Amino acid sequence: MPDDVAAEYQAYLKRFDEAVGPLAPGEFAKHQGRLIQKLSAEEFAPLYTEYMGLASHYLEGVDRGDTINDLVVKLIRDHAARLILTSPV
C-alpha cells in the first residue's frame, strides 16, 4: 500500500472510531443513514482510490459546467459514507 494511502487509512480509522465507535474490521454500524462495514486496509485502498477518482471527476465536471449524472452523485455519497468522509456533493 502506498504511504499516502496508508496514512489515509490511519486517518479513516480515527474518523471511524470518533463517528461510529470502536469496532473490528468487518463489523457493521449505521452512519449517515447507511449501514457500513469497517474496512480492513486491503478493502480500504481500492475504495479510497475509486472515491478520489470519482470526486475529482465530479469537481472537474462542475468547474466545466457539465451536467452531472445522478448515479455519479450517488456513488460519491455512498463511498464517502463508507470512508467516513464529507461528500463534496
Side-chain angles (χ1 to χ4, degrees), residues 5 10 14-15 24 30 35 39-44 50 52 56 58 62 65 69 73 76 79 82-84 86:
V5 176
Q10 293 306 312
K14 183 177 179 189
R15 286 191 309 271
K30 288 282 265 185
L35 183 63
L39 304 169
S40 67
E42 295 78 23
E43 295 166 322
F44 175 85
E50 183 179 4
M52 293 306 289
S56 294
Y58 169 82
V62 168
N69 184 315
V73 172
I76 291 170
H79 280 46
R82 291 183 67 197
L83 296 167
I84 316 293
T86 303

Side-chain angles (χ1 to χ4, degrees), residues 25-57:
E27 290 187 299
F28 289 88
K30 288 282 265 185
H31 177 67
Q32 294 181 354
R34 293 173 169 87
L35 183 63
I36 61 168
Q37 185 178 30
K38 187 169 186 177
L39 304 169
S40 67
E42 295 78 23
E43 295 166 322
F44 175 85
L47 185 67
Y48 177 78
T49 302
E50 183 179 4
Y51 170 79
M52 293 306 289
L54 286 169
S56 294
H57 181 71

Side-chain angles (χ1 to χ4, degrees), residues 53-69 72:
L54 286 169
S56 294
H57 181 71
Y58 169 82
L59 294 173
E60 289 167 5
V62 168
D63 287 345
R64 287 189 306 266
D66 294 350
T67 301
I68 306 299
N69 184 315
V72 172

Side-chain angles (χ1 to χ4, degrees), residues 1-10:
M1 178 182 314
D3 289 343
D4 58 332
V5 176
E8 288 298 330
Y9 182 66
Q10 293 306 312

